[in-house]
Amino acid sequence: MANMRKTKNPMPSQEPLVRAHNFDEVALGYTEAMALDEAQRCLNCKSFPCVQGCPVNIRIPQFIAKIREGDFEGAYQVISADSALPAVCGRVCPQESQCEKYCVRGIKGEPVGIGRLERFVADYHNAHAAEGAAEPAKNGHKVAVVGSGPAGLTCAGDLARKGYDVTVYEALHVAGGVLSYGIPEFRLPKAIVKREIEGLERMGVKFLTNMVIGRVLSIQELMQEEGFEAVFIGSGAGLPKFMNIPGENLKGVYSANEFLTRVNLMKAYEPDANTPIQHAKHVTVVGGGNVAMDAARCALRLGAESVTIVYRRSLEELPARREEVEHAMEEGIVFKLLNNPVELIGDENRNVVKMRCIRMELGEPDASGRRRPIEVPGSEFELDTDCVIMALGTSPNPLIKSTTEGLDTQRWGGIITDEDGLTTCEGVYAGGDAVTGAATVILAMGAGKKAAAAMDRYIQGK
Amino acid sequence: MYRIIKKESLNPSVTRMSIAAPLVAKKVQPGQFIILRVEENGERIPLTVAGYDRAAGTVDIIFQIVGATTEKLNHKEQGETIPDFVGPLGKPTETEGLKRVAVIGGGVGCAIAFPVAKKLFAQGCEVDAVAGFRNKDLVILEDEFRANSTTFLPVSDDGSWGEKGLVTDALKKLIDSGRAYDEVIAIGPLIMMKFVCRLTKEYGIKTVVSMNPIMIDGTGMCGCCRLTVDGKMKFACVDGPDFDGHLVDFDEAMARCAAYKPFEAKAREAACNLFSQEVK
């Protein structure tokens, strides 16, 4: 008999006022008892609508059934058949707009805590399982993956399981892409990312760091000289977007990419770090996505007295995961919604000291379906700030496009692909932010998975 | 890991190293840069390449010891390794079709100006090279410049080497003497490049400068290296590092470069203390 309680088991977390001063993981994870109880809330319904909400179609009712039986490792095996990164997705997926959005239990109460259960299962596996499966038998075909973020790791994992000899090229000095440089330690511990990558290495995947494809080697060279039969481009987000308002090059103004890279990749929060970061008093973050929340919460943990998020729409339109917004609010981050910066003002030494904003109101829905923010004339006001972080998204890196003949891109730079991820170059596939522009980890994983299947069909059909 | 094949002190604060990096050496062109780390958890620093040997698979870097990372790099000896050395990054200096060029190097900027002069000279271009240093003790690459230029003009602030004066004085003399240039290429401190550009603008001579702003990833991701060029935001790592000097906002670039000065000074002191303790 299912547990018909209307609410999820709450996630045990560090106390807001404690965690606001450390970089340790915020959410602590379910205990076995909590997981067993939460699993009882699943009705195991015949139509399993949750699965259609998952970009990689994890067989959700099946894994939850295994939890109910107390077979946690079995549950992990169900998830890992469809997802290369369960411990990552259980932490960073926007479940409320995916699997949990479609959960029948969500109609009269809260949906089943699918994400929390996924995380529990992955952490159980990581704590108890023996070191990974053996290297699959090789099929004699070589493929290359450009970029080691979620799209690249998923693609590499799927192809390695099928027996391909996979080499992953990473531009930075560590693998993981946005999982390493972007998402902070307190939301996704780097030890988890490292473990996932080591799992792929045990399957025979080779990781080459410091390899900027487009410069060190071109896509053509990978295929013609290095002998790869197909290439997957998962080069991710590129250059940060700015607002094109006065003052954006003042000192103290960061892109979220720079701020987060300094903190996460270069560990600027550690006292003996070699890479500096500004320890500002009054930080203002512009934007409303997960990246904005991450930047704001990092700034708080670096010791800021106040951190304010300025976003031009209202709470309802905030694109960040709900849990991140709630966590940010609990930690004391101030949300100035329906406001937009119009100018950054500096002192005589070109340090930013003020942000000039204008109030907004919501008009008719725009192309994205969200109500369009409109400036309220004469409503300008100033905020004191000594650090501004622009979290407005990115446009794809031009490097691969400019060095790959015949690779067509959208006007804004995204690589053009068909449904399977095939680009306009034979044997060259792409997926993730390089194709879609800034999106989520799980969408990138879905694209990597689709492309891996298509690359397999392409090579086997040759 | 990348091995230091050769290490040579060019003056008390400037060192040349040849690093084994065959993939970088295969493609690198004058004007491009590399990013290196000296140790695990170390910072990433960009250095424009000072030379390369494609056959030997080595890339030369010349660096001035200014901060903690260059201090630590300078403590590495021939035969030792560094964990990361990535490149070639940025766009090469455009040299095609140039017939008469003045190449201006200031201080350690000469290290970057030299391979450009060498490439131009090798392709049959007339190269007037102007090298400026504060004094004769800081001079680097004199013989190399002499061997790869049509005319070589050394200048120093105190007159202890070549003519007393600034590179702009020497360049002005050359132009006034009737030398006509397709282009001036100026590489050195921001303040020097700013004044070279002010001069050449008066004469209407196209001038290219090599910008070296603070970078983190250097691959077109973080946006830290942004500059204003012709009123637009440009990124030195993917749009540069070479830009039309008449369009660069140098005052802004100078302010941005100084953003971490206090931290750098402290970090270098800490690194120096660390090394002096080791010696004890």
PDB file of all heavy atoms in Angstrom, chain B residues 44-58:
ATOM      1  N   ARG B  44      46.829  29.962 -13.742  1.00  0.00           N
ATOM      2  CA  ARG B  44      47.112  29.873 -15.175  1.00  0.00           C
ATOM      3  C   ARG B  44      47.620  31.240 -15.611  1.00  0.00           C
ATOM      4  O   ARG B  44      46.953  32.234 -15.399  1.00  0.00           O
ATOM      5  CB  ARG B  44      45.832  29.541 -15.946  1.00  0.00           C
ATOM      6  CG  ARG B  44      45.205  28.193 -15.593  1.00  0.00           C
ATOM      7  CD  ARG B  44      43.789  28.080 -16.133  1.00  0.00           C
ATOM      8  NE  ARG B  44      43.727  28.106 -17.589  1.00  0.00           N
ATOM      9  CZ  ARG B  44      43.761  27.025 -18.371  1.00  0.00           C
ATOM     10  NH1 ARG B  44      43.823  25.828 -17.824  1.00  0.00           N
ATOM     11  NH2 ARG B  44      43.723  27.139 -19.681  1.00  0.00           N
ATOM     12  N   ILE B  45      48.824  31.272 -16.206  1.00  0.00           N
ATOM     13  CA  ILE B  45      49.289  32.570 -16.704  1.00  0.00           C
ATOM     14  C   ILE B  45      49.545  32.496 -18.207  1.00  0.00           C
ATOM     15  O   ILE B  45      50.056  31.509 -18.722  1.00  0.00           O
ATOM     16  CB  ILE B  45      50.557  33.082 -15.973  1.00  0.00           C
ATOM     17  CG1 ILE B  45      51.727  32.101 -16.122  1.00  0.00           C
ATOM     18  CG2 ILE B  45      50.265  33.374 -14.516  1.00  0.00           C
ATOM     19  CD1 ILE B  45      53.074  32.757 -15.828  1.00  0.00           C
ATOM     20  N   PRO B  46      49.163  33.579 -18.933  1.00  0.00           N
ATOM     21  CA  PRO B  46      49.418  33.610 -20.361  1.00  0.00           C
ATOM     22  C   PRO B  46      50.799  34.203 -20.645  1.00  0.00           C
ATOM     23  O   PRO B  46      51.218  35.150 -19.992  1.00  0.00           O
ATOM     24  CB  PRO B  46      48.318  34.550 -20.873  1.00  0.00           C
ATOM     25  CG  PRO B  46      48.050  35.480 -19.730  1.00  0.00           C
ATOM     26  CD  PRO B  46      48.407  34.752 -18.459  1.00  0.00           C
ATOM     27  N   LEU B  47      51.512  33.632 -21.605  1.00  0.00           N
ATOM     28  CA  LEU B  47      52.783  34.200 -22.058  1.00  0.00           C
ATOM     29  C   LEU B  47      52.810  34.125 -23.578  1.00  0.00           C
ATOM     30  O   LEU B  47      52.568  33.055 -24.156  1.00  0.00           O
ATOM     31  CB  LEU B  47      53.974  33.405 -21.501  1.00  0.00           C
ATOM     32  CG  LEU B  47      54.289  33.537 -20.009  1.00  0.00           C
ATOM     33  CD1 LEU B  47      55.360  32.526 -19.608  1.00  0.00           C
ATOM     34  CD2 LEU B  47      54.761  34.946 -19.678  1.00  0.00           C
ATOM     35  N   THR B  48      53.092  35.237 -24.213  1.00  0.00           N
ATOM     36  CA  THR B  48      53.190  35.220 -25.666  1.00  0.00           C
ATOM     37  C   THR B  48      54.493  34.524 -26.047  1.00  0.00           C
ATOM     38  O   THR B  48      55.511  34.698 -25.377  1.00  0.00           O
ATOM     39  CB  THR B  48      53.128  36.654 -26.211  1.00  0.00           C
ATOM     40  OG1 THR B  48      51.956  37.273 -25.670  1.00  0.00           O
ATOM     41  CG2 THR B  48      53.039  36.677 -27.721  1.00  0.00           C
ATOM     42  N   VAL B  49      54.467  33.724 -27.099  1.00  0.00           N
ATOM     43  CA  VAL B  49      55.643  32.907 -27.412  1.00  0.00           C
ATOM     44  C   VAL B  49      56.782  33.781 -27.934  1.00  0.00           C
ATOM     45  O   VAL B  49      56.581  34.755 -28.649  1.00  0.00           O
ATOM     46  CB  VAL B  49      55.339  31.790 -28.432  1.00  0.00           C
ATOM     47  CG1 VAL B  49      54.344  30.813 -27.858  1.00  0.00           C
ATOM     48  CG2 VAL B  49      54.869  32.369 -29.739  1.00  0.00           C
ATOM     49  N   ALA B  50      57.994  33.388 -27.554  1.00  0.00           N
ATOM     50  CA  ALA B  50      59.182  34.135 -27.937  1.00  0.00           C
ATOM     51  C   ALA B  50      59.954  33.423 -29.045  1.00  0.00           C
ATOM     52  O   ALA B  50      60.929  33.949 -29.574  1.00  0.00           O
ATOM     53  CB  ALA B  50      60.070  34.333 -26.718  1.00  0.00           C
ATOM     54  N   GLY B  51      59.541  32.218 -29.390  1.00  0.00           N
ATOM     55  CA  GLY B  51      60.224  31.464 -30.437  1.00  0.00           C
ATOM     56  C   GLY B  51      59.771  30.024 -30.413  1.00  0.00           C
ATOM     57  O   GLY B  51      59.018  29.618 -29.522  1.00  0.00           O
ATOM     58  N   TYR B  52      60.196  29.268 -31.418  1.00  0.00           N
ATOM     59  CA  TYR B  52      59.812  27.860 -31.482  1.00  0.00           C
ATOM     60  C   TYR B  52      60.734  27.143 -32.435  1.00  0.00           C
ATOM     61  O   TYR B  52      61.357  27.755 -33.308  1.00  0.00           O
ATOM     62  CB  TYR B  52      58.352  27.707 -31.948  1.00  0.00           C
ATOM     63  CG  TYR B  52      58.013  28.559 -33.149  1.00  0.00           C
ATOM     64  CD1 TYR B  52      58.266  28.102 -34.444  1.00  0.00           C
ATOM     65  CD2 TYR B  52      57.464  29.823 -32.983  1.00  0.00           C
ATOM     66  CE1 TYR B  52      57.974  28.900 -35.536  1.00  0.00           C
ATOM     67  CE2 TYR B  52      57.174  30.627 -34.069  1.00  0.00           C
ATOM     68  CZ  TYR B  52      57.426  30.167 -35.349  1.00  0.00           C
ATOM     69  OH  TYR B  52      57.152  30.954 -36.429  1.00  0.00           O
ATOM     70  N   ASP B  53      60.867  25.840 -32.224  1.00  0.00           N
ATOM     71  CA  ASP B  53      61.660  24.982 -33.107  1.00  0.00           C
ATOM     72  C   ASP B  53      60.768  23.805 -33.457  1.00  0.00           C
ATOM     73  O   ASP B  53      60.567  22.898 -32.642  1.00  0.00           O
ATOM     74  CB  ASP B  53      62.938  24.534 -32.372  1.00  0.00           C
ATOM     75  CG  ASP B  53      63.852  23.705 -33.271  1.00  0.00           C
ATOM     76  OD1 ASP B  53      63.335  23.063 -34.217  1.00  0.00           O
ATOM     77  OD2 ASP B  53      65.072  23.694 -33.017  1.00  0.00           O
ATOM     78  N   ARG B  54      60.197  23.845 -34.653  1.00  0.00           N
ATOM     79  CA  ARG B  54      59.218  22.815 -35.028  1.00  0.00           C
ATOM     80  C   ARG B  54      59.856  21.429 -35.055  1.00  0.00           C
ATOM     81  O   ARG B  54      59.247  20.455 -34.635  1.00  0.00           O
ATOM     82  CB  ARG B  54      58.604  23.133 -36.389  1.00  0.00           C
ATOM     83  CG  ARG B  54      57.872  24.473 -36.420  1.00  0.00           C
ATOM     84  CD  ARG B  54      56.772  24.480 -37.470  1.00  0.00           C
ATOM     85  NE  ARG B  54      56.397  25.829 -37.875  1.00  0.00           N
ATOM     86  CZ  ARG B  54      55.635  26.656 -37.151  1.00  0.00           C
ATOM     87  NH1 ARG B  54      55.176  26.273 -35.981  1.00  0.00           N
ATOM     88  NH2 ARG B  54      55.347  27.858 -37.605  1.00  0.00           N
ATOM     89  N   ALA B  55      61.101  21.346 -35.556  1.00  0.00           N
ATOM     90  CA  ALA B  55      61.763  20.042 -35.676  1.00  0.00           C
ATOM     91  C   ALA B  55      62.050  19.463 -34.290  1.00  0.00           C
ATOM     92  O   ALA B  55      61.823  18.277 -34.037  1.00  0.00           O
ATOM     93  CB  ALA B  55      63.051  20.184 -36.473  1.00  0.00           C
ATOM     94  N   ALA B  56      62.514  20.314 -33.381  1.00  0.00           N
ATOM     95  CA  ALA B  56      62.842  19.822 -32.039  1.00  0.00           C
ATOM     96  C   ALA B  56      61.599  19.683 -31.160  1.00  0.00           C
ATOM     97  O   ALA B  56      61.653  19.072 -30.095  1.00  0.00           O
ATOM     98  CB  ALA B  56      63.843  20.770 -31.377  1.00  0.00           C
ATOM     99  N   GLY B  57      60.486  20.299 -31.601  1.00  0.00           N
ATOM    100  CA  GLY B  57      59.254  20.211 -30.812  1.00  0.00           C
ATOM    101  C   GLY B  57      59.287  21.060 -29.559  1.00  0.00           C
ATOM    102  O   GLY B  57      58.672  20.718 -28.549  1.00  0.00           O
ATOM    103  N   THR B  58      60.022  22.178 -29.625  1.00  0.00           N
ATOM    104  CA  THR B  58      60.106  23.030 -28.438  1.00  0.00           C
ATOM    105  C   THR B  58      59.527  24.423 -28.710  1.00  0.00           C
ATOM    106  O   THR B  58      59.526  24.898 -29.837  1.00  0.00           O
ATOM    107  CB  THR B  58      61.564  23.205 -27.975  1.00  0.00           C
ATOM    108  OG1 THR B  58      62.325  23.756 -29.053  1.00  0.00           O
ATOM    109  CG2 THR B  58      62.160  21.897 -27.528  1.00  0.00           C
TER     110      THR B  58
END
